[in-house]
Amino acid sequence: LDGRALELARTIIEARCAELAIDNPEMASFMVVHVLEGITHTTVIHHPEMMTRPEFREELLRLLESYLLPGDRAARPRR
């Protein structure tokens, strides 16, 4: 799973690299995949009730956007 997830993330990031704030798609893919894996693993094991909360999804999106998107696009308003 790890290799496939990294490959998929890298393919997506490389395809959209011009619109992302990423200089190294390989490293960005590694970071994104493992951050998501760590957060979801910890949440499922220790806080499963959070998985269904809209706030969880929103914060996860904000985290990824703040890393991947240029500064002016990452600062989207909270819902």
Side-chain angles (χ1 to χ4, degrees):
L1 178 63
D2 185 60
R4 289 188 308 169
L6 286 169
E7 184 178 324
L8 177 61
R10 185 172 181 173
T11 299
I12 293 168
I13 287 171
E14 284 178 342
R16 301 187 70 182
C17 211
E19 56 190 280
L20 300 175
I22 298 299
D23 295 325
N24 184 334
E26 181 180 8
M27 188 57 67
S29 302
F30 179 86
M31 294 294 178
V32 167
V33 167
H34 290 287
V35 163
L36 286 174
E37 180 183 26
I39 290 170
T40 54
H41 176 81
T42 298
T43 304
V44 166
I45 299 298
H46 299 290
H47 307 283
E49 73 285 354
M50 291 183 77
M51 294 296 288
T52 59
R53 293 178 57 186
E55 301 91 354
F56 177 80
R57 179 185 176 277
E58 284 298 314
E59 290 302 315
L60 192 55
L61 285 173
R62 288 182 70 212
L63 175 74
L64 293 173
E65 287 175 345
S66 67
Y67 175 65
L68 292 171
L69 297 179
D72 59 330
R73 292 185 51 205
R76 69 184 192 130
R78 296 182 120 187
R79 295 180 190 176

